[in-house]
Amino acid sequence: MKKKISINDIAQQLGVSITTVSFILNGRAQEKRISEKLVKKVLDFVQEVNYKPSSLARSLRTGKTNIIGLMVEDISDPFFSAIARAIEAIAYQSGYKIIYCSTENATEKTRELIAMYNERHVDGYIIVPPEGVEQDIKLLLDTGKPVVLIDRYLPAIDTDFVVVDNEKSAYDATCHLIANGYKNIAFVTIDSLQPQMLDRLSGYEKAMQENGLPQLVKEIAYKSSEQAMQHIAAFIDRKKEVDAIFFATNYLCVSGLKATAVKGINIPQNIGVVSFDDYELFELYSPSITTVSQPTDKIAEHAINLLMSRLKKAVSDKKFQKIILPTSLIVRKSSVR
């Protein structure tokens, strides 16, 4: 096996110091007043021998890996995959690579993944945090690693986050159903104390209370689409008065659509439907599904730019940013009688 060439080999072959070669390869030749002739000589030789610098050695030397750890709930979910793609594109333009993973919203798995990223010396983190990882994130912040939370925040941790206005979005969507003549509107959500889910519930409750309408909330301990479908079907059987359902997530809505299809329920004649989070198939479904659409590009843009500003020390370490973005209510046929 051919021995991999090192920076020391280059220096010996060219008769220059290792430090000089290092300065040239790291783009500091002009700063160190190294002649253009020598720069060309080194770079030509590097190209000739196809030298690939060790990323580990470079990171130990510079203290940077130019890698960002992105942790989302489920990378296969259209919402999170859209954010991941946008973050990756912006990061790449700035010379950073992204390594990402799915936490499955599991506390222990998330803690293990944070530890793994830490061992790989990633420069910063963008995290969709489950409950119970407050101490792990606090430890990252205490050691100087920048962390930006997206989709949700942790009330006990003071750090940067980018979220949408969940309460107002849910309030507006519920009011839309009320304006279309629906009176017994159910809110189907996951059994969770995460802030974004509580805010969506709060928006629904506020709209129903202001209009003097009964609140019908169904919480599901989400495990699988099949199980969720069965719970929703049973809920519809018990609550015959329900004439509209507002689903707190798109995957709950998918399960709900399966349940209504099995029960032979017509949308929107028998039951109106709105989903929090858009999904490309919702537009193609018959009837098309009304959704609260989150601005994935904006979430990604704010998150990566905020993290980059932290990495470049362009903002105060003590002044964390809480970015709350508006959503769009996309009205389709499922909620209009």
Side-chain angles (χ1 to χ4, degrees), residues 40 55 198:
K40 185 177 186 305
S55 58
L198 294 179

Side-chain angles (χ1 to χ4, degrees), residues 99-326:
I99 52 175
Y100 46 79
C101 61
S102 301
T103 67
E104 298 174 0
N105 210 33
T107 302
E108 195 55 39
K109 182 177 181 181
T110 304
R111 298 183 70 185
E112 291 174 359
L113 289 167
I114 289 175
M116 181 196 75
Y117 280 179
N118 206 22
E119 288 173 1
R120 294 194 176 194
H121 304 285
V122 301
D123 294 338
Y125 298 76
I126 299 176
I127 302 177
V128 178
E131 299 170 54
V133 297
E134 287 83 354
Q135 288 305 311
D136 303 83
I137 291 177
K138 185 176 186 302
L139 182 60
L140 291 176
L141 294 167
D142 289 346
T143 56
K145 294 289 187 179
V147 178
V148 177
L149 305 182
I150 58 172
D151 184 58
R152 63 200 70 160
Y153 58 92
L154 296 171
I157 298 295
D158 195 17
T159 189
D160 300 305
F161 64 72
V162 182
V163 299
V164 299
D165 193 337
N166 286 285
E167 183 174 348
K168 184 178 187 303
S169 301
Y171 174 85
D172 290 344
T174 308
C175 287
H176 162 74
L177 286 168
I178 295 170
N180 277 274
Y182 296 102
K183 304 292 185 186
N184 295 292
I185 303 166
F187 185 70
V188 175
T189 184
I190 58 173
D191 182 11
S192 170
L193 295 177
Q194 293 172 344
Q196 82 281 13
M197 304 311 297
L198 294 179
D199 287 345
R200 292 173 195 181
L201 174 60
S202 178
Y204 160 81
E205 291 175 336
K206 182 180 178 182
M208 298 297 281
Q209 184 176 17
E210 285 182 359
N211 288 274
L213 297 175
Q215 297 174 23
L216 302 165
V217 178
K218 172 62 178 175
E219 293 184 340
I220 295 175
Y222 190 87
K223 298 294 182 184
S224 69
S225 178
E226 181 66 24
Q227 185 188 61
M229 183 196 78
Q230 293 171 1
H231 281 295
I232 294 167
F235 175 72
I236 293 172
D237 278 340
R238 290 197 312 273
K239 301 292 183 179
K240 303 290 187 186
E241 71 274 21
V242 169
D243 60 3
I245 302 178
F246 180 13
F247 293 98
T249 70
N250 56 7
Y251 53 85
L252 281 176
C253 184
V254 170
S255 298
L257 293 176
K258 291 178 182 178
T260 56
V262 167
K263 307 296 291 183
I265 295 171
N266 293 318
I267 302 171
Q269 294 87 347
N270 303 129
I271 285 184
V273 170
V274 172
S275 170
F276 204 109
D277 285 343
D278 202 4
Y279 182 34
E280 59 184 12
L281 294 182
F282 286 165
E283 190 174 3
L284 303 176
Y285 191 83
S286 183
S288 54
I289 307 300
T290 295
T291 64
V292 175
S293 178
Q294 300 194 63
T296 53
D297 284 348
K298 289 292 184 184
I299 294 171
E301 182 181 341
H302 280 288
I304 189 62
N305 287 341
L306 186 50
L307 187 66
M308 295 301 296
S309 68
R310 292 288 179 201
L311 292 170
K312 295 174 182 176
K313 310 292 185 183
V315 291
S316 169
D317 289 341
K318 302 298 182 183
K319 190 175 182 181
F320 293 112
Q321 294 194 39
K322 325 292 185 184
I323 299 175
I324 302 174
L325 302 172

Side-chain angles (χ1 to χ4, degrees), residues 2-155:
K2 188 177 180 180
K3 180 188 173 185
K4 185 177 179 181
I5 194 166
S6 69
I7 194 171
N8 186 47
D9 296 328
I10 296 172
Q12 287 183 353
Q13 286 285 335
L14 299 178
V16 296
S17 71
I18 297 174
T19 305
T20 299
V21 176
S22 177
F23 283 145
I24 293 172
L25 296 181
N26 286 300
R28 300 180 63 190
Q30 188 173 5
E31 173 193 339
K32 297 299 179 179
R33 297 182 179 180
I34 300 171
S35 71
E36 292 183 10
K37 183 179 178 181
L38 182 54
V39 170
K40 185 177 186 305
K41 182 180 178 181
V42 171
L43 295 181
D44 285 348
F45 184 77
V46 164
Q47 188 174 9
E48 179 187 335
V49 298
N50 194 28
Y51 169 71
K52 302 292 183 185
S54 164
S55 58
L56 177 59
R58 185 171 58 241
S59 68
L60 291 173
R61 187 171 61 251
T62 65
K64 291 180 63 178
T65 60
N66 280 57
I67 295 175
I68 292 168
L70 173 61
M71 306 173 67
V72 300
E73 185 174 319
D74 181 1
I75 197 64
S76 69
D77 182 280
F79 171 68
F80 291 120
S81 62
I83 289 176
R85 283 195 301 270
I87 285 176
E88 189 171 22
I90 298 170
Y92 187 77
Q93 293 173 358
S94 300
Y96 280 80
K97 305 292 193 304
I98 301 290
I99 52 175
Y100 46 79
C101 61
S102 301
T103 67
E104 298 174 0
N105 210 33
T107 302
E108 195 55 39
K109 182 177 181 181
T110 304
R111 298 183 70 185
E112 291 174 359
L113 289 167
I114 289 175
M116 181 196 75
Y117 280 179
N118 206 22
E119 288 173 1
R120 294 194 176 194
H121 304 285
V122 301
D123 294 338
Y125 298 76
I126 299 176
I127 302 177
V128 178
E131 299 170 54
V133 297
E134 287 83 354
Q135 288 305 311
D136 303 83
I137 291 177
K138 185 176 186 302
L139 182 60
L140 291 176
L141 294 167
D142 289 346
T143 56
K145 294 289 187 179
V147 178
V148 177
L149 305 182
I150 58 172
D151 184 58
R152 63 200 70 160
Y153 58 92
L154 296 171

